[in-house]
Amino acid sequence: MIRLDSIAKQHGHQLLFLEASMGLQKGEKIGLVGPNGAGKSTIFRMIAGQEPPDDGRVLVEGGMTIGYFSQDVGEMSGQSAVAAVMDGAGPVSALAAEMAKLEAAMVDPEQADAMEDNVARYGEVQARFQELDGYALEDRAREVLAGLSFSEERMDADVGLLSGGWKMRVALARILLMRPDAMLLDEPSNHLDLESLIWLEDFLKRYEGALLMTSHDREFMNRIVNKIVEIDGGTLTTYSGNYDFYEQQRALSEKQRQAQFERQQAMLAKEIEFIERFKARASHAAQVQSRVKKLEKIERVEPPKRRQTVQFEFRSPPRSGDDVVNFRNVSKAYGSHKIYSDLDFLVKRKERWCILGANGAGKSTLLKLVAEAAEAGQGTTPDKGTVTMGASVKMGYFAQHSMDLLDGEETVFESLDSSFPQAGQGTLRTLAGCFGFSGDDVEKPCRVLSGGEKARLVMAKMLFDPPNFLVLDEPTNHLDMATKEMLVAALAEFEGTMLFVSHDRYFLARLSNRVLELTPEGLHQYGGGYTEYVARTGHEAPGLHPG
């Protein structure tokens, strides 16, 4: 269906691909992986015909429809979300538009002369529209939007009034409704809550076309893809199996390559030692010459490329009291929308609570109430009841708005230095390296950083002088797989208390030891972490039920 044949591609001075090849067949679901900047989005743009390769060919089967979802959704406004989604449904939306035009023409007295032609054309267009199940289009559009957590009210509101994250969902819904022969999905799991993520996972599992996708969500990738294509050093390597299997295979081939390299190095050292020892002796001249020629012909084994990952290690946080935060009889509403009523909830030292709940259940509000109680400043306060911090609690709060508080004119290094003026240069550079800022990256001004880079910088600042109580609202939203792995490994060693919201099931399963579930019927507390919660309830999120 789709083939990249010996492609080469360069951006400025950076060589992205050289003699790289891969294929995508109907029914295949491929995960595209590689470090940031390796060229994943470039592959999508080349297949979508938006960017040609410098050399080689991109072959796409004739008549094939391709749906491409990227993070750059463009301007959307002036129509409802449901209309915007229907607009992207390929040929069906064009037929709907032509039918509307013909309907207007048939009742226009000025076009009475063309009535016969218009009626005939309308018959043809309508037949094709029916054939493509056009009359069910709006129902299907609403079904997809509902799956992505849109309320009826939000579906019918102007897209222009939606936040960037909701516009992303509209753009994704357009591709899903289109049902193309091949889907190219660049980070479709960004900006989705847990319920939407699980719905999308189910949709893509049932999708019968060809799928090429990237995602920083390990669990999402694992459950959907049956092949991995890795971009590494300008080449494309295909592995059968899901992401976990790819990681095992990659580690195994690295180990074999290293062993091969070491064996060859030992052999070369032996040969060179022989040549050096006997080169001056006439009696050994023939043997020496023969070995020199042999060495010249040997194809050298390259050592495996080492992925640089620096592990971050926590300093021990100061000990807090046994009661960390206590909600007593808390009620909170926004206008007529009641969030909590008489909520009682106690977090004890060393507990790691993950908060689950459908959209609007009050997950972020709960974290804001805690942050407000800790800072005793302006923020979210309960309408009734109290939120009390325990003795000696030092809180670190990560929320999406934390990234807006960075000084845009400071560089990454200056930002760290102004937060920790007592720390030495070497220490701060090591800290920056742990969070993915190596070499010249530390000289980047904060205003040019991507969402992921800003999140990493805020996280580095929060964890360097560790609090004993971490409150995290979607901490992995912008993080790539490697940074996420590092963060999970570091937080698994963290000795303090945690309260967090995340839609990343790997993060939830690895780090939680308690679950607080917010439902319209009230609050449910579970001992044991997210994995135990799934086993006990039979569903992965409160808004979903088995079956």
Side-chain angles (χ1 to χ4, degrees), residues 322-380:
D322 284 342
D323 289 359
V324 174
V325 63
N326 197 358
F327 284 69
R328 283 202 193 102
N329 205 27
V330 168
S331 294
K332 180 72 188 169
Y334 291 111
S336 60
H337 180 47
K338 193 181 281 185
I339 309 278
Y340 320 115
S341 188
D342 301 323
L343 165 69
D344 288 316
F345 171 51
L346 173 65
V347 176
K348 307 279 284 182
R349 191 173 76 87
K350 289 207 166 186
E351 289 180 341
R352 295 154 170 257
W353 287 90
C354 71
I355 305 168
L356 300 179
N359 252 335
K363 300 186 293 291
S364 293
T365 299
L366 192 91
L367 301 189
K368 284 175 189 164
L369 287 168
V370 172
E372 161 69 10
E375 291 161 8
Q378 293 300 304
T380 305

Side-chain angles (χ1 to χ4, degrees), residues 62 69 138 170 233 263 280 302 308 324 423 444 470 472 483 493 517 527 539:
F69 169 77
E138 183 170 344
V170 170
R263 278 198 304 274
E302 292 292 323
Q308 276 199 313
V324 174
K444 280 185 182 176
L470 286 176
L472 310 172
T483 311
E493 299 297 314
E517 182 186 55
H539 55 250

Side-chain angles (χ1 to χ4, degrees), residues 43 90 126 132 142 191 224 317 408 420 439 461:
I43 294 258
Q126 190 183 35
L132 291 173
R142 287 182 182 277
H191 304 285
I224 294 168
F420 310 110
K461 288 179 152 200

Side-chain angles (χ1 to χ4, degrees), residues 299-310:
E299 196 174 324
R300 302 295 162 110
V301 174
E302 292 292 323
K305 294 188 192 85
R306 292 267 170 238
R307 287 275 166 99
Q308 276 199 313
T309 49
V310 190

Side-chain angles (χ1 to χ4, degrees), residues 1 6 36 57 104 205 228 242 252 283 293 362 447 477 487:
M1 283 183 95
S6 300
N36 280 347
R57 295 180 305 164
K205 277 184 194 164
I228 294 283
N242 66 8
L252 189 66
S283 59
K293 280 180 182 164
R447 64 185 147 74
N477 247 7
L487 183 65

Side-chain angles (χ1 to χ4, degrees), residues 5-30:
D5 213 353
S6 300
I7 56 159
K9 184 73 185 173
Q10 192 162 344
H11 276 175
H13 295 299
Q14 189 191 6
L15 184 66
L16 291 176
F17 301 106
L18 188 65
E19 294 280 312
S21 301
M22 66 165 281
L24 177 63
Q25 299 301 321
K26 186 178 177 181
E28 280 188 334
K29 296 182 168 67
I30 295 181

Side-chain angles (χ1 to χ4, degrees), residues 374-534:
E375 291 161 8
Q378 293 300 304
T380 305
T381 51
D383 300 333
K384 192 183 90 175
T386 58
V387 182
T388 318
M389 301 306 286
S392 308
V393 172
K394 179 188 171 193
M395 186 194 71
Y397 177 42
F398 178 90
Q400 297 309 303
H401 71 77
S402 318
M403 301 190 289
D404 303 332
L405 304 177
L406 294 169
D407 179 342
E409 295 312 306
E410 283 187 334
T411 65
V412 169
F413 186 81
E414 286 165 352
S415 187
L416 291 172
D417 193 38
S418 58
S419 294
F420 310 110
Q422 307 305 316
Q425 276 225 6
T427 305
L428 292 182
R429 283 185 183 275
T430 303
L431 173 68
C434 285
F435 284 85
F437 297 103
S438 55
D440 294 342
D441 288 346
V442 293
E443 301 307 327
K444 280 185 182 176
C446 290
R447 64 185 147 74
V448 305
L449 298 181
S450 68
E453 288 170 323
K454 284 180 181 170
R456 297 204 308 263
L457 178 55
V458 170
M459 204 79 73
K461 288 179 152 200
M462 187 171 72
L463 300 180
F464 179 65
D465 179 20
N468 51 30
F469 181 33
L470 286 176
V471 178
L472 310 172
D473 194 357
E474 294 289 3
T476 63
N477 247 7
H478 298 277
L479 302 183
D480 61 37
M481 209 94 82
T483 311
K484 210 183 279 190
E485 293 279 350
M486 183 278 290
L487 183 65
V488 167
L491 291 176
E493 299 297 314
F494 174 61
E495 293 168 18
T497 308
M498 285 172 66
L499 182 67
F500 59 91
V501 172
S502 175
H503 66 255
D504 188 298
R505 285 160 293 177
Y506 179 70
F507 190 88
L508 291 170
R510 284 284 307 275
L511 296 174
S512 60
N513 60 21
R514 299 280 187 285
V515 175
L516 179 70
E517 182 186 55
L518 306 175
T519 72
E521 295 74 49
L523 179 136
H524 305 291
Q525 300 186 30
Y526 296 85
Y530 177 72
T531 307
E532 289 85 347
Y533 161 84
V534 173

